[in-house]
């Protein structure tokens, strides 16, 4: 350790000094705790990926790109983002919807990944036929396993609207898949 060299850290209006090498770090109060994107990525990244993967009908390429872009945008706007998780989900769903719309205008590409099992492929094809909000609500509720209130928060809409999207989406899936309704616990 070099004598006289201190690391200053701002904590809730006070400065803590600790001897260190030659580093000086200043942290704004509350910023690190509120937008710890490494922790957010570790805790919510896999769920976000699964949600977008299902939302896009099994398109891993779009899901990878969209999740990365969502985190990049959140980090770039870290000072403006009050709640990172809902921001990430809303951004990712918007980006995925835009990508799917743009893709419909381009000629189809040959898939470079192995095909999903028939039952999964059928479900993913049926999910693609739902409206974007129905698909998002169903994926967040049943794939990511979030309660309706959290789905509403992440989608930026009212819980009652989420329930309507889930109800209509499930009815459409039953019609498309020929499945019988099972009561939800």
């Amino acid at each position: 350790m070099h004598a006289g060299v201190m690391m200053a850290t701002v904590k809730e209006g006070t400065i803590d000094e600790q001897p260190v090498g030659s580093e000086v770090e200043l942290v704004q109060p509350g910023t690190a705790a509120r937008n710890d994107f490494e922790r957010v990525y570790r805790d919510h990244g896999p769920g976000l990926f699964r949600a977008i993967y299902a939302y896009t009908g099994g398109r891993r390429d779009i899901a990878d790109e969209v999740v990365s872009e969502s985190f990049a945008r959140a980090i770039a706007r870290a000072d403006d983002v009050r709640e990172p998780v809902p921001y990430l989900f809303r951004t990712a769903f918007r980006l995925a919807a835009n990508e799917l719309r743009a893709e419909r205008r381009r000629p189809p590409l040959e898939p470079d990944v192995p095909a999903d099992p028939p039952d999964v492929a059928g479900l993913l094809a049926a999910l693609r036929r739902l409206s974007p909000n129905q698909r998002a609500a169903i994926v967040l509720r049943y794939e990511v396993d979030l309660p309706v209130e959290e789905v509403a928060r992440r989608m930026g809409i009212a819980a009652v609207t989420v329930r309507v999207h889930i109800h209509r989406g499930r009815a459409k899936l039953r019609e498309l898949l020929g499945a019988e309704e099972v009561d939800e616990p």
Side-chain angles (χ1 to χ4, degrees):
M1 264 188 254
H2 299 294
V5 178
M6 307 293 270
M7 180 172 81
T9 305
V10 179
K11 293 183 181 176
E12 302 299 325
T14 65
I15 298 179
D16 292 340
E17 295 181 350
Q18 304 168 8
V20 293
S22 60
E23 302 169 12
V24 175
E25 176 186 357
L26 295 177
V27 178
Q28 296 297 322
T31 311
R34 186 178 59 212
N35 292 329
D36 180 3
F37 288 107
E38 183 178 334
R39 181 189 53 77
V40 171
Y41 181 79
R42 192 175 47 252
D43 294 347
H44 299 282
L48 178 60
F49 176 83
R50 284 192 315 273
I52 298 302
Y53 180 78
Y55 179 79
T56 59
R59 296 290 310 276
R60 180 177 295 278
D61 57 331
I62 294 174
D64 283 336
E65 181 180 326
V66 163
V67 169
S68 297
E69 180 64 20
S70 297
F71 272 94
R73 289 182 183 195
I75 291 168
R77 300 191 66 206
D79 293 338
D80 299 328
V81 176
R82 286 183 282 159
E83 295 185 57
V85 175
Y87 176 87
L88 288 164
F89 273 82
R90 283 190 303 270
T91 302
F93 277 109
R94 285 186 192 123
L95 290 170
N98 289 341
E99 184 61 31
L100 291 173
R101 268 193 301 276
E103 190 175 81
R104 282 186 233 135
R105 293 183 285 250
R106 293 189 300 256
L109 299 174
E110 290 295 319
D112 58 346
V113 295
D116 291 315
D119 55 337
V120 173
L123 176 60
L124 293 175
L127 280 170
R128 281 191 290 266
R129 297 193 51 198
L130 299 178
S131 76
N133 282 335
Q134 289 172 354
R135 188 170 47 226
I138 286 175
V139 166
L140 289 172
R141 176 68 183 98
Y142 298 109
E143 176 60 27
V144 183
D145 198 29
L146 297 175
V148 170
E149 292 73 23
E150 182 63 18
V151 172
R153 190 171 79 85
R154 291 188 185 188
M155 289 180 68
I157 59 178
V160 69
T161 307
V162 169
R163 286 185 186 93
V164 169
H165 288 312
I166 290 172
H167 176 76
R168 290 179 181 167
R170 285 176 59 148
K172 182 73 173 182
L173 285 173
R174 273 192 312 277
E175 175 186 316
L176 294 169
L177 297 172
E180 293 184 25
E181 179 64 20
V182 176
D183 289 332
E184 184 177 343

